[in-house]
Amino acid sequence: MKTYYTPMKEIERKWYVADADGKVLGRIAAEIALRLRGKHKPTFCSFQDNGDFVIVVNADKVHLTGNKWDDKVYHQHSGYPGGIKTKTAREVLTQKPEELIRMAVRGMLPKNKIGRAQLRKLKVYAGKDHPHQAQQPELLEI
């Protein structure tokens, strides 16, 4: 049996809006990654980007379970000796709440060119307003 390959002209991309208010970070990130990859579609191919666009609002109201606000640590290294910077999840939330969701979703996507293209279809906003009303996004229930 041959692998079905969807032509680029036939790929339909929908827009979804997800509200992160009161949701657990990992659960919402898993659903967003599924939509970005296109695994919910019957035409899914692992070597093709046929996912949808996802808008996340209220990123500053996301929750973490247990002691993860203080125990979960994000590292960033400049490449120089002693150039490591460390932040807890609470610090990331206060400085850039959008990055908390973006990093969680990025870890669930493929680590290649297709994964980077799929991550560009993710739009994250700290408040409840977003500038994508013209795309008429559907509400994503999580």
Side-chain angles (χ1 to χ4, degrees):
M1 182 173 185
K2 295 175 73 173
T3 303
Y4 178 72
Y5 181 78
T6 307
M8 292 302 287
K9 291 183 277 186
E10 294 181 15
I11 295 176
E12 292 185 21
R13 299 191 196 279
K14 291 186 178 181
W15 284 74
Y16 292 100
V17 61
D19 191 3
D21 187 12
K23 302 288 192 311
V24 178
L25 176 64
R27 298 199 183 251
I28 193 169
E31 185 65 30
I32 291 168
L34 180 108
R35 298 288 172 160
L36 289 175
R37 290 204 65 197
K39 291 188 92 169
H40 63 289
K41 296 181 178 183
T43 59
F44 171 71
C45 290
S46 62
F47 55 86
Q48 192 178 29
D49 181 17
N50 60 356
D52 296 325
F53 289 85
V54 179
I55 305 163
V56 181
V57 294
N58 292 324
D60 54 347
K61 297 177 183 165
V62 74
H63 287 283
L64 289 175
T65 58
N67 295 328
K68 291 188 192 124
W69 284 119
D70 299 313
D71 293 345
K72 188 164 183 61
V73 179
Y74 294 96
H75 300 287
Q76 183 179 6
H77 201 283
S78 66
Y80 289 97
I84 193 163
K85 294 179 183 177
T86 304
K87 291 183 183 178
T88 63
R90 189 180 309 277
E91 292 170 348
V92 173
L93 184 75
T94 57
Q95 293 172 2
K96 290 184 180 180
E98 302 93 4
E99 285 301 308
L100 201 62
I101 292 179
R102 192 180 318 278
M103 286 188 286
V105 172
R106 187 181 73 198
M108 297 181 186
L109 292 177
K111 279 65 171 177
N112 54 23
K113 189 187 293 189
I114 292 176
R116 290 186 293 274
Q118 291 166 347
L119 189 64
R120 280 193 290 272
K121 294 185 299 192
L122 175 66
K123 317 293 183 189
V124 185
Y125 300 99
K128 63 178 180 170
D129 298 326
H130 61 85
H132 305 286
Q133 295 297 337
Q135 281 73 28
Q136 300 169 349
E138 299 176 18
L139 184 63
L140 181 61
E141 290 294 329
I142 298 174

